[in-house]
Coordinates of all heavy atoms in Angstrom, one line a residue:
M1 N 17.5 2.1 16.5 CA 18.1 1.5 15.3 C 18.1 2.6 14.2 O 17.2 3.3 14.0 CB 17.3 0.3 14.7 CG 17.4 -0.9 15.6 SD 19.0 -1.7 15.3 CE 18.5 -3.4 15.5
R2 N 19.2 2.7 13.5 CA 19.3 3.7 12.4 C 19.8 3.0 11.2 O 20.8 2.3 11.2 CB 20.3 4.7 12.9 CG 20.6 5.8 11.9 CD 21.7 6.7 12.4 NE 21.2 7.7 13.4 CZ 21.0 8.9 13.1 NH1 21.2 9.3 11.9 NH2 20.5 9.8 14.0
Q3 N 19.1 3.3 10.1 CA 19.6 2.8 8.8 C 20.5 3.8 8.2 O 20.2 4.9 8.1 CB 18.4 2.5 7.9 CG 17.6 1.3 8.3 CD 16.6 0.9 7.3 OE1 16.2 1.7 6.5 NE2 16.2 -0.4 7.3
S4 N 21.7 3.3 7.8 CA 22.7 4.2 7.3 C 22.2 4.8 5.9 O 21.7 4.1 5.1 CB 24.0 3.5 7.1 OG 23.9 2.4 6.3
G5 N 22.5 6.1 5.8 CA 22.3 6.7 4.5 C 20.9 7.1 4.1 O 20.7 7.6 3.0
K6 N 19.9 6.8 5.0 CA 18.6 7.2 4.6 C 17.8 7.7 5.8 O 17.8 7.0 6.9 CB 17.9 5.9 4.1 CG 16.9 6.2 3.0 CD 16.4 4.9 2.4 CE 15.6 5.1 1.2 NZ 15.1 3.9 0.6
L7 N 17.3 8.9 5.7 CA 16.4 9.4 6.7 C 15.0 8.9 6.6 O 14.4 8.9 5.5 CB 16.4 10.9 6.6 CG 17.5 11.7 7.3 CD1 17.4 13.2 7.1 CD2 17.5 11.4 8.8
E8 N 14.5 8.4 7.7 CA 13.2 7.8 7.6 C 12.3 8.6 8.5 O 12.5 8.7 9.7 CB 13.2 6.3 8.0 CG 12.0 5.6 7.7 CD 11.8 5.2 6.3 OE1 12.8 4.7 5.7 OE2 10.7 5.5 5.7
Y9 N 11.3 9.2 8.0 CA 10.3 10.0 8.8 C 9.2 9.1 9.3 O 8.8 8.2 8.5 CB 9.8 11.2 8.0 CG 10.8 12.2 7.6 CD1 11.3 12.2 6.3 CD2 11.4 13.0 8.5 CE1 12.2 13.1 5.9 CE2 12.3 13.9 8.2 CZ 12.8 13.9 6.8 OH 13.8 14.8 6.5
G10 N 8.8 9.3 10.5 CA 7.7 8.4 11.0 C 8.1 7.0 11.1 O 7.4 6.1 11.0
G11 N 9.4 6.8 11.4 CA 10.0 5.5 11.4 C 9.4 4.5 12.4 O 9.6 3.3 12.4
L12 N 8.7 5.1 13.4 CA 8.2 4.3 14.5 C 7.1 3.3 14.0 O 6.9 2.3 14.6 CB 7.6 5.1 15.6 CG 8.6 5.9 16.4 CD1 7.8 6.8 17.4 CD2 9.5 5.0 17.2
R13 N 6.5 3.7 12.9 CA 5.5 2.8 12.4 C 6.0 1.9 11.3 O 5.2 1.3 10.6 CB 4.4 3.7 11.8 CG 3.6 4.5 12.8 CD 2.5 5.2 12.2 NE 1.5 5.7 13.1 CZ 0.3 6.2 12.8 NH1 -0.1 6.1 11.6 NH2 -0.4 6.6 13.7
G14 N 7.2 1.8 11.1 CA 7.7 0.9 10.1 C 7.9 1.6 8.8 O 7.7 2.8 8.7
P15 N 8.2 0.8 7.8 CA 8.5 1.4 6.5 C 7.2 2.1 5.9 O 6.1 1.7 6.1 CB 8.9 0.3 5.6 CG 8.4 -1.0 6.3 CD 8.3 -0.6 7.8
Q16 N 7.5 3.2 5.2 CA 6.4 4.0 4.6 C 6.7 4.1 3.1 O 7.9 4.1 2.7 CB 6.3 5.4 5.2 CG 5.8 5.3 6.6 CD 5.3 6.7 7.1 OE1 5.9 7.7 6.6 NE2 4.3 6.7 7.9
R17 N 5.7 4.2 2.3 CA 5.9 4.4 0.9 C 4.9 5.6 0.5 O 3.9 5.8 1.1 CB 5.5 3.2 0.1 CG 6.4 2.0 0.3 CD 7.8 2.3 -0.3 NE 8.7 1.1 -0.1 CZ 9.5 0.9 0.9 NH1 9.5 1.8 1.9 NH2 10.2 -0.2 1.0
T18 N 5.2 6.2 -0.6 CA 4.4 7.2 -1.2 C 3.4 6.6 -2.2 O 3.9 6.0 -3.2 CB 5.2 8.4 -1.8 OG1 6.1 8.9 -0.8 CG2 4.3 9.5 -2.3
C19 N 2.2 6.9 -2.1 CA 1.2 6.4 -3.1 C 1.4 7.1 -4.4 O 1.6 8.4 -4.4 CB -0.2 6.7 -2.6 SG -1.5 6.4 -3.8
V20 N 1.6 6.4 -5.5 CA 1.8 7.0 -6.8 C 0.6 7.8 -7.3 O 0.7 8.6 -8.2 CB 2.3 6.0 -7.9 CG1 3.6 5.4 -7.5 CG2 1.2 4.9 -8.1
G21 N -0.5 7.6 -6.7 CA -1.7 8.3 -7.1 C -1.8 9.7 -6.4 O -1.6 10.7 -7.0
C22 N -2.1 9.6 -5.1 CA -2.4 10.9 -4.3 C -1.1 11.4 -3.7 O -1.2 12.5 -3.1 CB -3.5 10.6 -3.3 SG -3.0 9.4 -2.0
R23 N 0.0 10.7 -3.7 CA 1.3 11.2 -3.2 C 1.3 11.3 -1.7 O 2.1 12.0 -1.1 CB 1.7 12.5 -3.8 CG 1.6 12.6 -5.3 CD 2.6 11.7 -6.0 NE 4.0 12.1 -5.7 CZ 5.1 11.4 -6.1 NH1 4.9 10.3 -6.7 NH2 6.3 11.9 -5.8
V24 N 0.4 10.6 -1.0 CA 0.4 10.6 0.4 C 1.3 9.5 1.0 O 1.1 8.4 0.5 CB -1.0 10.5 1.0 CG1 -1.0 10.3 2.5 CG2 -1.8 11.7 0.6
R25 N 2.1 9.8 1.9 CA 3.0 8.8 2.5 C 2.1 8.0 3.5 O 1.4 8.5 4.3 CB 4.2 9.4 3.2 CG 5.3 9.7 2.3 CD 6.4 10.4 3.0 NE 7.2 9.4 3.8 CZ 8.1 8.6 3.2 NH1 8.4 8.6 1.9 NH2 8.8 7.8 4.0
T26 N 2.2 6.7 3.4 CA 1.4 5.8 4.1 C 2.2 4.5 4.5 O 3.2 4.2 3.8 CB 0.2 5.3 3.3 OG1 -0.5 6.5 2.8 CG2 -0.8 4.5 4.1
A27 N 1.9 3.9 5.6 CA 2.6 2.7 6.0 C 2.5 1.7 4.8 O 1.5 1.5 4.2 CB 1.9 2.1 7.2
K28 N 3.7 1.1 4.6 CA 3.8 0.2 3.4 C 2.7 -0.9 3.5 O 2.2 -1.4 2.5 CB 5.2 -0.4 3.5 CG 5.6 -1.3 2.3 CD 6.9 -1.9 2.6 CE 7.3 -2.9 1.5 NZ 8.5 -3.7 1.9
S29 N 2.4 -1.3 4.7 CA 1.5 -2.5 4.9 C 0.1 -2.1 4.4 O -0.7 -3.0 4.2 CB 1.5 -2.9 6.3 OG 1.1 -1.8 7.2
E30 N -0.2 -0.8 4.3 CA -1.6 -0.4 3.9 C -1.6 -0.1 2.4 O -2.7 0.3 1.9 CB -2.0 0.9 4.7 CG -2.2 0.5 6.1 CD -2.5 1.8 6.9 OE1 -3.0 2.8 6.3 OE2 -2.3 1.8 8.1
L31 N -0.5 -0.2 1.7 CA -0.5 0.1 0.3 C -0.4 -1.2 -0.5 O 0.2 -2.2 -0.1 CB 0.7 1.0 0.0 CG 0.6 2.4 0.5 CD1 2.0 3.0 0.5 CD2 -0.3 3.2 -0.2
L32 N -0.9 -1.1 -1.7 CA -0.8 -2.2 -2.6 C 0.5 -2.1 -3.4 O 0.7 -1.0 -4.0 CB -2.0 -2.2 -3.6 CG -2.2 -3.3 -4.6 CD1 -2.4 -4.6 -3.9 CD2 -3.3 -3.0 -5.5
R33 N 1.3 -3.1 -3.4 CA 2.5 -3.0 -4.2 C 2.2 -3.4 -5.7 O 1.5 -4.4 -5.9 CB 3.6 -4.0 -3.7 CG 4.9 -4.0 -4.4 CD 5.9 -4.8 -3.7 NE 6.6 -5.7 -4.7 CZ 7.8 -5.3 -5.3 NH1 8.3 -4.1 -5.0 NH2 8.4 -6.1 -6.1
L34 N 2.7 -2.6 -6.6 CA 2.5 -2.9 -8.0 C 3.8 -3.1 -8.7 O 4.8 -2.5 -8.4 CB 1.8 -1.7 -8.7 CG 0.5 -1.2 -8.0 CD1 0.0 0.0 -8.8 CD2 -0.6 -2.3 -8.0
V35 N 3.8 -4.1 -9.6 CA 5.0 -4.3 -10.4 C 4.6 -4.3 -11.9 O 3.5 -4.5 -12.2 CB 5.7 -5.6 -10.0 CG1 6.3 -5.5 -8.6 CG2 4.8 -6.8 -10.2
R36 N 5.6 -4.1 -12.7 CA 5.4 -4.1 -14.2 C 5.8 -5.5 -14.7 O 6.9 -6.1 -14.4 CB 6.3 -3.1 -14.8 CG 6.1 -3.0 -16.3 CD 7.0 -1.9 -16.9 NE 8.4 -2.1 -16.8 CZ 9.1 -2.8 -17.7 NH1 8.5 -3.3 -18.8 NH2 10.4 -3.0 -17.5
V37 N 4.9 -6.1 -15.5 CA 5.2 -7.3 -16.2 C 4.9 -7.0 -17.7 O 3.8 -6.9 -18.1 CB 4.3 -8.5 -15.7 CG1 4.6 -9.7 -16.5 CG2 4.5 -8.7 -14.2
G38 N 6.0 -6.9 -18.4 CA 5.8 -6.5 -19.8 C 5.2 -5.1 -19.9 O 5.7 -4.2 -19.3
D39 N 4.1 -5.0 -20.6 CA 3.4 -3.7 -20.8 C 2.3 -3.6 -19.8 O 1.5 -2.7 -19.9 CB 2.8 -3.6 -22.2 CG 4.0 -3.4 -23.2 OD1 5.0 -3.0 -22.8 OD2 3.7 -3.8 -24.4
H40 N 2.2 -4.5 -18.8 CA 1.1 -4.5 -17.8 C 1.6 -4.1 -16.5 O 2.8 -4.5 -16.1 CB 0.4 -5.8 -17.8 CG -0.3 -6.2 -19.0 ND1 0.3 -6.5 -20.2 CD2 -1.6 -6.2 -19.3 CE1 -0.6 -6.8 -21.1 NE2 -1.8 -6.6 -20.6
V41 N 0.8 -3.4 -15.7 CA 1.0 -3.2 -14.3 C 0.1 -4.1 -13.6 O -1.1 -4.1 -13.8 CB 0.8 -1.7 -13.9 CG1 1.0 -1.5 -12.4 CG2 1.6 -0.8 -14.7
V42 N 0.7 -4.9 -12.7 CA -0.1 -5.9 -12.0 C 0.1 -5.8 -10.5 O 1.1 -5.3 -10.0 CB 0.2 -7.4 -12.4 CG1 0.1 -7.6 -13.9 CG2 1.7 -7.7 -12.0
P43 N -1.0 -6.1 -9.7 CA -0.8 -6.1 -8.3 C 0.0 -7.2 -7.8 O -0.1 -8.3 -8.2 CB -2.3 -6.2 -7.7 CG -3.0 -6.8 -8.8 CD -2.3 -6.5 -10.1
D44 N 1.0 -6.9 -6.9 CA 1.9 -7.9 -6.4 C 1.3 -8.4 -5.1 O 1.7 -7.9 -4.0 CB 3.3 -7.3 -6.2 CG 4.3 -8.4 -5.7 OD1 3.9 -9.6 -5.6 OD2 5.4 -8.0 -5.4
L45 N 0.3 -9.2 -5.2 CA -0.5 -9.6 -4.0 C 0.3 -10.3 -2.9 O 0.0 -10.1 -1.7 CB -1.7 -10.4 -4.4 CG -2.6 -9.7 -5.4 CD1 -3.7 -10.6 -5.8 CD2 -3.2 -8.4 -4.8
R46 N 1.3 -11.0 -3.2 CA 2.1 -11.7 -2.2 C 3.4 -10.9 -1.9 O 4.2 -11.4 -1.0 CB 2.5 -13.1 -2.7 CG 1.3 -14.0 -2.8 CD 1.7 -15.4 -3.2 NE 0.6 -16.2 -3.5 CZ 0.7 -17.4 -4.1 NH1 1.9 -17.8 -4.5 NH2 -0.3 -18.1 -4.3
G47 N 3.6 -9.8 -2.6 CA 4.8 -9.0 -2.3 C 6.1 -9.7 -2.7 O 7.1 -9.5 -2.1
R48 N 6.0 -10.6 -3.6 CA 7.2 -11.4 -4.0 C 7.7 -11.3 -5.4 O 8.7 -11.9 -5.7 CB 6.8 -12.9 -3.8 CG 6.5 -13.2 -2.4 CD 7.0 -14.6 -2.0 NE 6.6 -15.0 -0.7 CZ 6.0 -16.1 -0.4 NH1 5.8 -17.0 -1.3 NH2 5.7 -16.4 0.9
L49 N 7.0 -10.5 -6.2 CA 7.4 -10.4 -7.6 C 8.7 -9.5 -7.6 O 8.8 -8.5 -6.9 CB 6.3 -9.8 -8.4 CG 5.1 -10.7 -8.6 CD1 4.0 -9.9 -9.3 CD2 5.4 -11.9 -9.3
P50 N 9.6 -9.9 -8.5 CA 10.9 -9.1 -8.5 C 10.7 -7.8 -9.3 O 9.7 -7.6 -10.0 CB 11.8 -10.1 -9.3 CG 10.9 -10.8 -10.2 CD 9.6 -11.0 -9.4
G51 N 11.7 -7.0 -9.2 CA 11.8 -5.7 -9.9 C 11.3 -4.5 -9.2 O 10.9 -4.6 -8.0
R52 N 11.3 -3.4 -9.9 CA 10.8 -2.2 -9.3 C 9.4 -2.3 -9.0 O 8.6 -2.8 -9.7 CB 11.0 -1.0 -10.3 CG 12.4 -0.5 -10.5 CD 12.4 0.7 -11.4 NE 11.9 1.9 -10.6 CZ 12.6 2.6 -9.8 NH1 13.8 2.3 -9.6 NH2 12.1 3.6 -9.2
G53 N 9.1 -1.7 -7.8 CA 7.7 -1.7 -7.4 C 7.2 -0.3 -7.3 O 7.9 0.7 -7.2
A54 N 5.9 -0.1 -7.4 CA 5.2 1.2 -7.1 C 4.1 0.9 -6.1 O 3.6 -0.2 -6.0 CB 4.6 1.7 -8.4
S55 N 3.9 1.9 -5.3 CA 2.9 1.7 -4.2 C 1.7 2.5 -4.5 O 1.7 3.6 -4.9 CB 3.5 2.1 -2.8 OG 4.6 1.3 -2.6
L56 N 0.5 1.9 -4.2 CA -0.8 2.6 -4.4 C -1.7 2.2 -3.3 O -1.8 1.1 -2.9 CB -1.3 2.1 -5.8 CG -2.6 2.8 -6.3 CD1 -2.2 4.1 -6.9 CD2 -3.3 1.9 -7.3
H57 N -2.5 3.2 -2.9 CA -3.6 2.9 -2.0 C -4.5 2.0 -2.8 O -4.8 2.2 -4.0 CB -4.4 4.2 -1.6 CG -3.6 5.0 -0.6 ND1 -3.2 6.3 -1.0 CD2 -3.2 4.8 0.6 CE1 -2.6 6.8 0.1 NE2 -2.6 5.9 1.1
P58 N -5.1 1.0 -2.1 CA -6.0 0.1 -2.8 C -7.3 0.7 -3.1 O -8.4 0.3 -2.5 CB -6.1 -1.1 -1.9 CG -5.7 -0.6 -0.6 CD -4.8 0.5 -0.8
A59 N -7.3 1.8 -3.9 CA -8.5 2.5 -4.2 C -8.5 3.0 -5.6 O -7.5 3.4 -6.2 CB -8.6 3.8 -3.3
L60 N -9.7 2.9 -6.3 CA -9.8 3.2 -7.7 C -9.5 4.7 -7.9 O -8.9 5.1 -8.9 CB -11.2 2.9 -8.2 CG -11.5 1.5 -8.6 CD1 -13.0 1.3 -8.9 CD2 -10.7 1.1 -9.8
S61 N -9.8 5.5 -6.9 CA -9.5 7.0 -7.1 C -8.0 7.2 -7.2 O -7.6 8.1 -8.0 CB -10.1 7.7 -5.9 OG -9.6 7.2 -4.7
C62 N -7.2 6.5 -6.4 CA -5.8 6.7 -6.5 C -5.3 6.1 -7.8 O -4.3 6.7 -8.4 CB -5.1 6.0 -5.3 SG -5.3 7.0 -3.8
L63 N -5.8 5.0 -8.3 CA -5.4 4.4 -9.6 C -5.7 5.5 -10.7 O -4.8 5.7 -11.5 CB -6.2 3.1 -9.8 CG -5.9 2.5 -11.2 CD1 -4.4 2.1 -11.3 CD2 -6.8 1.3 -11.4
E64 N -6.9 6.1 -10.6 CA -7.2 7.0 -11.7 C -6.3 8.3 -11.6 O -5.9 8.8 -12.6 CB -8.7 7.4 -11.6 CG -9.5 6.3 -12.1 CD -11.0 6.4 -11.7 OE1 -11.4 7.5 -11.1 OE2 -11.7 5.5 -12.0
L65 N -6.0 8.7 -10.4 CA -5.1 9.8 -10.2 C -3.7 9.5 -10.8 O -3.1 10.3 -11.6 CB -4.9 10.1 -8.7 CG -5.8 11.2 -8.1 CD1 -5.5 11.3 -6.6 CD2 -5.5 12.6 -8.8
A66 N -3.3 8.3 -10.5 CA -1.9 7.8 -11.0 C -1.9 7.8 -12.6 O -1.0 8.2 -13.2 CB -1.6 6.5 -10.4
E67 N -3.0 7.3 -13.1 CA -3.1 7.2 -14.6 C -3.1 8.6 -15.2 O -2.4 8.9 -16.2 CB -4.4 6.5 -15.0 CG -4.4 5.1 -14.9 CD -5.6 4.5 -15.6 OE1 -6.7 4.5 -14.9 OE2 -5.5 4.0 -16.7
R68 N -3.9 9.5 -14.6 CA -3.9 10.9 -15.1 C -2.6 11.6 -15.0 O -2.2 12.4 -15.9 CB -5.0 11.7 -14.3 CG -5.8 12.7 -15.1 CD -6.9 13.3 -14.3 NE -7.7 12.3 -13.7 CZ -8.5 12.5 -12.6 NH1 -8.4 13.6 -11.9 NH2 -9.2 11.5 -12.1
R69 N -1.9 11.3 -14.0 CA -0.6 11.9 -13.8 C 0.6 11.2 -14.5 O 1.7 11.5 -14.4 CB -0.3 12.0 -12.3 CG -1.3 12.8 -11.6 CD -1.0 12.8 -10.1 NE 0.3 13.2 -9.7 CZ 1.3 12.4 -9.3 NH1 1.0 11.2 -9.1 NH2 2.5 12.9 -9.1
R70 N 0.2 10.1 -15.2 CA 1.2 9.3 -15.9 C 2.3 8.8 -14.9 O 3.5 8.8 -15.2 CB 1.8 10.0 -17.1 CG 0.8 10.4 -18.1 CD 1.5 11.2 -19.3 NE 0.5 11.8 -20.2 CZ 0.0 11.1 -21.1 NH1 0.3 9.9 -21.4 NH2 -0.9 11.7 -21.9
A71 N 1.8 8.5 -13.8 CA 2.8 8.1 -12.7 C 3.4 6.8 -13.0 O 4.5 6.5 -12.5 CB 2.1 8.1 -11.4
F72 N 2.7 5.9 -13.7 CA 3.3 4.5 -13.8 C 4.5 4.4 -14.7 O 5.5 3.8 -14.3 CB 2.2 3.5 -14.2 CG 1.2 3.3 -13.1 CD1 -0.2 3.6 -13.3 CD2 1.6 2.8 -11.9 CE1 -1.1 3.4 -12.3 CE2 0.6 2.5 -10.9 CZ -0.7 2.9 -11.1
P73 N 4.4 5.0 -15.9 CA 5.7 5.0 -16.7 C 6.9 5.6 -16.0 O 8.0 5.1 -16.1 CB 5.3 5.8 -17.9 CG 3.8 5.6 -18.0 CD 3.3 5.6 -16.6
R74 N 6.6 6.6 -15.2 CA 7.7 7.3 -14.5 C 8.2 6.4 -13.3 O 9.4 6.2 -13.1 CB 7.2 8.6 -13.8 CG 8.2 9.6 -13.7 CD 7.6 10.9 -13.1 NE 6.3 11.3 -13.7 CZ 5.4 12.0 -13.1 NH1 5.6 12.4 -11.9 NH2 4.3 12.3 -13.7
A75 N 7.2 5.7 -12.6 CA 7.6 4.9 -11.5 C 8.4 3.7 -12.0 O 9.3 3.2 -11.3 CB 6.4 4.4 -10.8
F76 N 8.1 3.2 -13.2 CA 8.7 2.0 -13.7 C 9.8 2.3 -14.7 O 10.4 1.4 -15.3 CB 7.7 1.0 -14.3 CG 6.8 0.5 -13.3 CD1 5.4 0.8 -13.3 CD2 7.2 -0.3 -12.3 CE1 4.5 0.3 -12.3 CE2 6.4 -0.9 -11.3 CZ 5.0 -0.5 -11.4
R77 N 10.1 3.6 -14.9 CA 11.2 4.0 -15.8 C 11.0 3.5 -17.2 O 12.0 2.9 -17.8 CB 12.5 3.5 -15.2 CG 12.8 3.9 -13.8 CD 13.6 5.2 -13.7 NE 13.6 5.8 -12.4 CZ 14.5 5.6 -11.4 NH1 15.5 4.8 -11.7 NH2 14.4 6.2 -10.3
V78 N 9.8 3.6 -17.7 CA 9.6 3.2 -19.1 C 9.0 4.4 -19.8 O 8.4 5.3 -19.2 CB 8.7 2.0 -19.3 CG1 9.3 0.8 -18.6 CG2 7.3 2.2 -18.7
T79 N 9.0 4.4 -21.1 CA 8.5 5.5 -21.9 C 7.1 5.2 -22.4 O 6.3 6.1 -22.6 CB 9.4 5.9 -23.0 OG1 9.7 4.8 -23.8 CG2 10.7 6.5 -22.5
G80 N 6.9 4.0 -22.8 CA 5.6 3.6 -23.4 C 4.5 3.6 -22.4 O 4.7 3.6 -21.2
P81 N 3.2 3.5 -22.9 CA 2.1 3.4 -22.0 C 2.0 2.1 -21.4 O 2.5 1.1 -22.0 CB 0.9 3.7 -23.0 CG 1.4 3.2 -24.3 CD 2.9 3.5 -24.3
L82 N 1.4 2.0 -20.2 CA 1.3 0.7 -19.5 C -0.2 0.5 -19.3 O -1.0 1.4 -19.0 CB 2.0 0.8 -18.2 CG 3.6 0.9 -18.2 CD1 4.1 1.3 -16.9 CD2 4.1 -0.4 -18.7
D83 N -0.5 -0.8 -19.4 CA -1.9 -1.2 -19.2 C -2.1 -1.6 -17.7 O -1.5 -2.5 -17.2 CB -2.1 -2.5 -20.1 CG -3.6 -3.0 -19.9 OD1 -4.3 -2.4 -19.2 OD2 -3.9 -4.0 -20.6
V84 N -2.9 -0.8 -17.1 CA -3.2 -1.0 -15.7 C -4.5 -1.8 -15.4 O -4.9 -1.9 -14.3 CB -3.2 0.4 -14.9 CG1 -1.9 1.1 -15.0 CG2 -4.4 1.2 -15.4
S85 N -5.0 -2.4 -16.4 CA -6.3 -3.0 -16.3 C -6.3 -4.2 -15.2 O -7.3 -4.4 -14.6 CB -6.9 -3.5 -17.6 OG -6.0 -4.4 -18.3
P86 N -5.1 -4.9 -15.1 CA -5.1 -5.9 -14.0 C -5.3 -5.3 -12.6 O -5.9 -5.9 -11.8 CB -3.7 -6.6 -14.2 CG -3.3 -6.3 -15.6 CD -3.9 -5.0 -15.9
V87 N -4.7 -4.1 -12.5 CA -4.9 -3.4 -11.2 C -6.3 -3.0 -11.0 O -6.9 -3.2 -9.9 CB -3.9 -2.2 -11.1 CG1 -4.0 -1.6 -9.7 CG2 -2.5 -2.6 -11.3
R88 N -6.9 -2.4 -12.0 CA -8.3 -2.0 -12.0 C -9.2 -3.2 -11.6 O -10.1 -3.1 -10.8 CB -8.7 -1.3 -13.3 CG -10.1 -0.8 -13.3 CD -10.4 -0.2 -14.6 NE -9.5 1.0 -14.9 CZ -9.8 2.2 -14.5 NH1 -10.8 2.4 -13.8 NH2 -8.9 3.2 -14.7
A89 N -8.9 -4.3 -12.3 CA -9.8 -5.5 -12.1 C -9.7 -5.9 -10.6 O -10.7 -6.3 -10.0 CB -9.4 -6.6 -13.0
H90 N -8.5 -5.8 -10.1 CA -8.3 -6.2 -8.7 C -9.0 -5.3 -7.8 O -9.7 -5.8 -6.9 CB -6.8 -6.2 -8.4 CG -6.5 -6.4 -6.9 ND1 -6.7 -7.6 -6.3 CD2 -6.1 -5.5 -6.0 CE1 -6.4 -7.4 -5.0 NE2 -6.0 -6.2 -4.8
L91 N -8.9 -4.0 -8.0 CA -9.6 -3.1 -7.2 C -11.1 -3.1 -7.3 O -11.8 -2.8 -6.3 CB -9.1 -1.6 -7.5 CG -7.6 -1.4 -7.2 CD1 -7.2 0.0 -7.5 CD2 -7.3 -1.7 -5.7
E92 N -11.5 -3.5 -8.4 CA -13.0 -3.7 -8.6 C -13.5 -5.0 -8.1 O -14.7 -5.3 -8.1 CB -13.4 -3.5 -10.1 CG -13.2 -2.1 -10.5 CD -13.4 -1.9 -12.0 OE1 -13.4 -3.0 -12.7 OE2 -13.6 -0.8 -12.5
G93 N -12.6 -5.8 -7.6 CA -13.0 -7.0 -6.9 C -13.2 -8.2 -7.8 O -13.8 -9.2 -7.4
E94 N -12.7 -8.2 -9.0 CA -12.9 -9.3 -9.9 C -11.8 -10.4 -9.5 O -10.7 -10.1 -9.3 CB -12.7 -8.9 -11.3 CG -13.8 -8.0 -11.8 CD -13.6 -7.6 -13.3 OE1 -12.8 -8.3 -14.0 OE2 -14.2 -6.6 -13.6
P95 N -12.3 -11.6 -9.5 CA -11.3 -12.7 -9.2 C -10.4 -13.0 -10.3 O -10.6 -12.6 -11.5 CB -12.2 -13.9 -8.9 CG -13.5 -13.6 -9.7 CD -13.6 -12.1 -9.8
N96 N -9.3 -13.7 -10.0 CA -8.4 -14.2 -11.0 C -7.8 -13.2 -11.9 O -7.7 -13.3 -13.1 CB -9.2 -15.2 -12.0 CG -9.8 -16.4 -11.2 OD1 -9.2 -16.8 -10.2 ND2 -11.0 -16.8 -11.5
V97 N -7.3 -12.1 -11.3 CA -6.7 -11.1 -12.1 C -5.3 -11.5 -12.5 O -4.8 -11.0 -13.5 CB -6.5 -9.7 -11.3 CG1 -7.9 -9.1 -11.1 CG2 -5.8 -9.9 -10.0
M98 N -4.7 -12.4 -11.8 CA -3.3 -12.9 -12.2 C -3.4 -13.9 -13.4 O -3.3 -15.0 -13.2 CB -2.6 -13.4 -11.0 CG -2.4 -12.5 -9.9 SD -1.4 -11.1 -10.4 CE 0.2 -11.8 -10.3
Ligands
ZN1 ZN1 -3.4 7.2 -2.7

């Protein structure tokens, strides 16, 4: 099977995404999908929220890398700062982040 217009490397393993923190390409299923809601970046735990997504390894180190690199405003095409505390809370294992 070939998808038109897009070269997919490592396609045998299914879709891959690049982590916005460490920039390592990883199977989509192993990454946490993040979406922007207003000025907040929230984890899309069910993979159903609409809009642009960003992918992140579910690790605080990658979140911090992404913050330091200002990867989120770039990923979501916004200029202002974004609050990633819902993602941080999720990664730190706090319940009820949504
Ligand atoms: Zn990463």
Side-chain angles (χ1 to χ4, degrees):
M1 289 283 217
R2 176 188 278 259
Q3 287 189 336
S4 61
K6 213 173 192 182
L7 274 175
E8 192 76 50
Y9 298 103
L12 290 175
R13 289 185 169 194
Q16 293 193 327
R17 294 292 183 271
T18 302
C19 171
V20 292
C22 64
R23 309 292 296 172
V24 172
R25 278 179 74 82
T26 305
K28 187 184 172 192
S29 57
E30 292 176 21
L31 292 162
L32 182 65
R33 178 175 139 89
L34 307 176
V35 295
R36 181 177 67 88
V37 178
D39 291 334
H40 291 73
V41 180
V42 301
D44 182 8
L45 299 177
R46 292 183 187 168
R48 295 214 185 134
L49 294 174
R52 282 188 75 80
S55 299
L56 184 81
H57 288 116
L60 280 172
S61 56
C62 285
L63 176 64
E64 283 163 9
L65 266 174
E67 281 190 283
R68 215 174 304 157
R69 299 176 55 250
R70 299 177 190 278
F72 290 118
R74 210 179 318 154
F76 293 114
R77 308 261 166 98
V78 298
T79 52
L82 291 168
D83 181 358
V84 299
S85 57
V87 182
R88 183 179 297 276
H90 171 70
L91 295 180
E92 287 174 346
E94 290 178 24
N96 304 322
V97 289
M98 297 297 282

